[in-house]
Amino acid sequence: MVWLRYFRPQASHYDSSFIQQTTLVRQIGDRIRSSLELSVVLQTAVEEVVAQLPVECCLFLWYFQDIQRVQVVCEAGDRTLSSSTLSNGTPSGGIGHFPLTKFGDLVSAIDHGELILRPGKASNRPNGLLGLQPGMQSCPIDPPGPLFGDSAVLMIPVKGLEHSRGYLVCLDSTRRHWSPNTVELMQAIAQPLEMAIRQAQLYDRLQKQARRERLVNQITAQTRQSLDVQKILKRAIAQLLNALEVDRCLVHLVEAPDELTDVAEELGNSHPDALGDSLGDRGEGYNRFRRKHLFEVCREPFPSTIADFDTDGPITRWVIENRQQVVISDITQDPRIGTDNQEYRLAQIQSSLVVPVQANGTLQAILYLNQCSHIRYWTRDDQKLAQAVADQLAISIQQAHLYAKTRQQAQESAAQAERLSEALLNLQQTQAHLIQSEKMSSLGQLVSGIAHEINNPISFIYGNIPFVERYVKDLLRLLTAYQASYPQSTEKLRDLLEEIEPDFVLEDLPRILDSMRAGASRIREIVLSLRNFSRVHEANRKVVDLQEGLESTLKLLQHSIPADVEICRCYGDLPPVECFPSRLNQVFFHIIKNALEAMESVGDRPRIITLTTESFWHSPLEQPWVRVAIADTGPGIPAHLQPKIFDPFFTTKSVGQGYGLGLSIAYQTIVQQHQGTLECHSTLGKGTTFILEIPICPPTAPPPDAPDPPLAALRTV
């Protein structure tokens, strides 16, 4: 029980009152944990406290130590903060944000996360509580806090994830002091509340992370579909506007020094630093040029502010100089903006979040998120989402600029076309390698983690099944012996035998145990296949059995193999091979997966995948090698497409079905990382065979992330 972690009641406490309190805490905990929505969890908690305890009001508040503010998120009771007034007749405030100073002499205790007990107005005791139990601490407060007036205050600290801290608060203007039982009960309630809050916060974090990744993936997909900066930025900020529910979203592309020089020459000044002194009547032309670098979306009824946007404003200058985020909850309190800033007044901006869009140390743009309808306190999740979008936009802008520059250079000099084409190809290879490496690294860690977590409990179950079976047999033998020794039974025992049906139990129980053993054994096989496939813990070369890797890959693909597809194994006597096992498993996975997809359109022909392994002596190199061939009876690859199948991003699949990275990474793995060869033999209408050959013990061992070789080393037949 959660309560017993904090209180060790004496024997006298085990009475009916203690049992009732324990039952009450359990019931309240069950109701609190009935939802994964944080707002529902907190509202249920305060309502349960008011329903079960004689208090006028119960509320929950969050304390943000970094900004010294408190947020009251929910309340319940007959006399809530929203309906109460202070001693001077002013409203208390209710749900919302408050500065920490609003809590008077409670400030220090709240900041240190202490349990707070304060007596009511009529009490003369410093604590308002006699006989504190061991482990309980009080914070003596003499004058009342302004927000809570003269009410007796009981504040129980509650901890969430990532050092978040809240308080479950009870208020009662009629109470002189808080009894030990009430404090103990509130502390006991706080324990399941902490667990429910952390679960809800974790659920909320996963939801927000999924939303963030979904938005970033959409922008990534748009980048792959188009390298037009205007289209990418307009779509991205429109999606970000809806995701964060802000009123304005604006991107300012920061000009590079060479662009400023071009503008200066266009306007008749050779030095860009002197533009401000020499523009004169040409200033409007310069502003028009700069506004070509502004993109904005707005929410109704707020109009566009591009015409009034100051591209050299105080926040813009600060971000350019410091390359850091600017988080402003209230612009009137920011000294950089001032209280009479015309730009912000015309745009009706009340809160602003400004994020630099930069990559590789270069500031590409500045992202402005503005709230106009109300003052907004930007959460960490808001800042993380904005930063994630900014990082992806930086990559997109960088790629778009590089693509545009490449095209311009190609148009200017036909002689340089071949060199630029090769540079672009190398860039695509690097990009594909980075994308796939990150993807497979994350996948490998995930697979290995899941396999490890499943392996522990299933090993426990699998290992204890023989003992359970033996114990059950012993009990059954004992039951049979009792029946033989005491054939005469009472009427009550006969009724029980009819209800239990021991004959059926004796017949069905062994089958149940056999099913449990078979299921546990199957799960163990799956876990072993996952671990063999990922091998995330084996970053260096290992001596492994390639046939074992092929079998692990087939097990992982088992759900994708139709019933009419035959897997034919022609395994030779293959010695152990020194290699990167995880990378080779990925190669097997890509090739077999492609073979399965290719055979979906073969019609009535037999669908067969043949796996062949053998060792041979490589005469030119004078060393032993191994060969793995993966053949299918699919439709084959047209001759004009065969030279392109290993190019990055080349795919014959429909949009959304593939990105053309699998075979490209497979080629890099075999040729570059293992110093082997990869061949493709394909006959249209008959099928395709991929043959990979690698040395058993390579002379050198380059790391997995070494530079890629030229694609000319590929042999395609």
Side-chain angles (χ1 to χ4, degrees):
M1 192 182 309
V2 175
W3 196 1
L4 298 181
R5 293 172 52 196
Y6 287 84
F7 302 101
R8 300 177 181 175
Q10 304 297 324
S12 59
H13 289 173
Y14 291 101
D15 52 12
S16 61
S17 175
F18 176 77
I19 296 176
Q20 292 175 359
Q21 269 192 338
T22 304
T23 304
L24 179 61
V25 170
R26 186 186 302 112
Q27 293 173 351
I28 294 176
D30 292 340
R31 296 189 188 103
I32 291 174
R33 291 191 294 267
S34 63
S35 175
L36 286 176
E37 295 292 337
L38 184 58
S39 59
V40 176
V41 169
L42 298 179
Q43 187 64 42
T44 302
V46 298
E47 290 176 354
E48 288 293 329
V49 170
V50 171
Q52 303 297 339
L53 295 180
V55 295
E56 289 183 337
C57 174
C58 181
L59 56 91
F60 189 89
L61 59 83
W62 289 111
Y63 170 53
F64 304 99
Q65 191 173 24
D66 52 347
I67 60 175
Q68 294 287 291
R69 296 189 70 87
V70 171
Q71 181 187 11
V72 179
V73 293
C74 61
E75 58 181 350
D78 298 331
R79 186 179 179 184
T80 61
L81 286 181
S82 301
S83 59
S84 62
T85 58
L86 302 177
S87 58
N88 59 5
T90 60
S92 296
I95 294 177
H97 290 265
F98 302 93
L100 186 59
T101 55
K102 188 78 172 177
F103 290 80
D105 288 338
L106 299 176
V107 168
S108 177
I110 293 176
D111 188 57
H112 289 84
E114 300 174 354
L115 184 149
I116 300 175
L117 305 172
R118 195 188 69 188
K121 182 177 181 181
S123 175
N124 294 322
R125 283 171 286 192
N127 283 341
L129 178 68
L130 295 177
L132 290 174
Q133 298 294 328
M136 295 168 52
Q137 299 179 0
S138 66
C139 175
I141 303 294
D142 294 331
L147 186 65
F148 294 152
D150 297 328
S151 299
V153 179
L154 171 59
M155 299 179 65
I156 306 296
V158 179
K159 296 181 179 179
L161 295 177
E162 296 181 350
H163 308 292
S164 58
R165 187 195 310 164
Y167 275 95
L168 186 62
V169 184
C170 292
L171 303 176
D172 199 322
S173 61
T174 63
R175 186 184 295 269
R176 293 173 58 87
H177 64 277
W178 300 98
S179 67
N181 288 338
T182 300
V183 178
E184 291 181 4
L185 181 58
M186 287 297 296
Q187 282 191 312
I189 293 173
Q191 306 314 310
L193 177 58
E194 278 190 355
M195 296 173 59
I197 287 176
R198 292 178 182 180
Q199 291 176 348
Q201 287 178 328
L202 181 59
Y203 174 76
D204 183 64
R205 180 195 298 174
L206 293 175
Q207 292 290 98
K208 291 178 178 178
Q209 182 180 357
R211 183 185 66 174
R212 182 165 62 246
E213 292 179 353
R214 185 164 55 250
L215 179 57
V216 173
N217 289 338
Q218 289 175 355
I219 297 174
T220 304
Q222 293 169 6
T223 304
R224 292 173 178 170
Q225 295 172 3
S226 172
L227 288 174
D228 188 331
V229 175
Q230 294 189 11
K231 291 182 180 179
I232 294 173
L233 294 180
K234 288 180 179 178
R235 292 175 182 174
I237 61 178
Q239 293 169 344
L240 188 58
L241 180 85
N242 294 326
L244 287 180
E245 298 181 353
V246 294
D247 297 322
R248 299 184 187 278
C249 188
L250 184 144
V251 172
H252 172 209
L253 291 177
V254 179
E255 297 82 8
D258 55 346
E259 293 178 306
L260 292 178
T261 302
D262 294 340
V263 177
E265 294 176 353
E266 179 183 349
L267 297 176
N269 192 313
S270 59
H271 201 289
D273 295 337
L275 284 174
D277 299 331
S278 60
L279 278 176
D281 57 353
R282 295 169 295 184
E284 183 59 30
Y286 182 68
N287 288 334
R288 281 197 303 269
F289 170 82
R290 298 194 60 157
R291 290 189 184 111
K292 292 179 182 178
H293 295 69
L294 299 176
F295 305 92
E296 183 184 29
V297 290
C298 307
R299 190 181 303 277
E300 293 292 340
F302 301 101
S304 174
T305 59
I306 289 182
D308 300 319
F309 182 81
D310 186 2
T311 56
D312 196 35
I315 299 300
T316 301
R317 291 197 305 269
W318 192 92
V319 172
I320 292 175
E321 293 174 359
N322 296 275
R323 309 292 178 89
Q324 297 178 5
Q325 278 192 9
V326 176
V327 183
I328 305 175
S329 300
D330 186 353
I331 63 162
T332 61
Q333 304 299 320
D334 193 289
R336 293 166 294 191
I337 298 175
T339 57
D340 191 26
N341 188 294
Q342 183 178 4
E343 177 192 354
Y344 283 79
R345 186 174 65 253
L346 292 175
Q348 306 177 47
I349 299 173
Q350 298 193 48
S351 303
S352 185
L353 174 61
V354 185
V355 183
V357 180
Q358 53 188 341
N360 299 326
T362 302
L363 184 65
Q364 306 281 359
I366 302 177
L367 177 64
Y368 302 83
L369 302 171
N370 298 322
Q371 198 74 48
C372 304
S373 57
H374 60 277
I375 291 178
R376 175 169 181 170
Y377 296 94
W378 305 97
T379 65
R380 291 188 181 92
D381 289 316
D382 295 338
Q383 299 173 39
K384 288 181 179 179
L385 177 56
Q387 189 61 60
V389 173
D391 293 341
Q392 184 57 45
L393 285 179
I395 298 174
S396 301
I397 294 171
Q398 188 179 38
Q399 291 177 347
H401 286 171
L402 181 59
Y403 176 72
K405 186 176 181 180
T406 303
R407 288 191 58 187
Q408 181 180 2
Q409 290 178 349
Q411 293 172 357
E412 291 176 352
S413 176
Q416 297 179 354
E418 185 177 355
R419 183 177 62 84
L420 293 177
S421 177
E422 184 178 350
L424 181 59
L425 182 60
N426 291 335
L427 176 62
Q428 290 177 334
Q429 283 184 308
T430 303
Q431 182 187 23
H433 183 69
L434 292 176
I435 293 173
Q436 187 71 3
S437 296
E438 182 65 23
K439 172 183 173 183
M440 297 310 299
S441 175
S442 301
L443 179 61
Q445 293 176 1
L446 176 63
V447 168
S448 179
I450 293 175
H452 177 73
E453 293 300 327
I454 295 177
N455 188 56
N456 290 336
I458 202 61
S459 296
F460 174 79
I461 295 173
Y462 187 80
N464 282 285
I465 287 179
F467 297 100
V468 173
E469 186 175 16
R470 190 179 70 187
Y471 299 157
V472 169
K473 289 181 179 178
D474 292 342
L475 291 175
L476 293 179
R477 288 195 301 108
L478 178 62
L479 178 60
T480 303
Y482 263 101
Q483 289 178 338
S485 301
Y486 301 95
Q488 301 298 327
S489 59
T490 63
E491 181 179 354
K492 184 176 181 181
L493 184 58
R494 287 194 296 272
D495 294 340
L496 182 59
L497 289 174
E498 292 179 0
E499 178 183 351
I500 295 177
E501 298 183 7
D503 293 336
F504 174 76
V505 172
L506 292 175
E507 179 182 354
D508 192 51
L509 189 56
R511 290 198 296 264
I512 293 177
L513 291 174
D514 290 340
S515 299
M516 293 173 61
R517 182 184 293 105
S521 178
R522 174 60 181 153
I523 295 176
R524 285 178 56 133
E525 292 177 1
I526 294 174
V527 169
L528 181 60
S529 298
L530 289 173
R531 297 186 63 179
N532 288 339
F533 179 81
S534 66
R535 296 185 182 266
V536 71
H537 58 289
E538 298 180 358
N540 297 322
R541 288 182 177 268
K542 300 289 181 181
V543 178
V544 298
D545 184 0
L546 294 187
Q547 294 171 169
E548 179 182 334
L550 283 169
E551 291 300 319
S552 299
T553 304
L554 289 174
K555 287 182 180 179
L556 291 180
L557 286 170
Q558 187 172 4
H559 69 283
S560 302
I561 302 177
D564 59 342
V565 173
E566 179 183 357
I567 304 297
C568 182
R569 299 170 175 84
C570 300
Y571 292 161
D573 187 11
L574 210 64
V577 179
E578 182 180 354
C579 62
F580 298 102
S582 177
R583 297 301 180 93
L584 282 182
N585 288 342
Q586 294 168 22
V587 172
F588 298 153
F589 183 94
H590 287 306
I591 296 177
I592 298 176
K593 182 68 173 176
N594 286 345
L596 291 171
E597 293 174 352
M599 290 192 299
E600 292 176 356
S601 58
V602 298
D604 297 331
R605 292 209 324 268
R607 297 197 284 179
I608 303 173
I609 293 180
T610 304
L611 306 178
T612 305
T613 62
E614 61 179 346
S615 60
F616 66 98
W617 183 260
H618 196 291
S619 299
L621 297 179
E622 297 295 324
Q623 62 178 168
W625 280 43
V626 295
R627 179 184 296 117
V628 178
I630 302 175
D632 64 71
T633 57
I637 303 174
H640 69 280
L641 295 181
Q642 292 183 24
K644 303 178 182 179
I645 60 175
F646 293 96
D647 291 348
F649 304 107
F650 175 78
T651 179
T652 58
K653 301 176 183 178
S654 58
V655 177
Q657 298 298 317
Y659 299 103
L661 295 178
L663 291 180
S664 173
I665 298 301
Y667 165 74
Q668 296 172 13
T669 300
I670 299 300
V671 176
Q672 190 269 326
Q673 296 173 9
H674 292 86
Q675 295 86 54
T677 62
L678 180 59
E679 299 179 359
C680 174
H681 300 261
S682 183
T683 302
L684 200 61
K686 292 185 178 181
T688 303
T689 301
F690 284 92
I691 301 176
L692 60 93
E693 298 175 351
I694 61 174
I696 293 177
C697 184
T700 58
D705 55 350
D708 299 328
L711 287 177
L714 169 66
R715 291 189 293 165
T716 303
V717 180

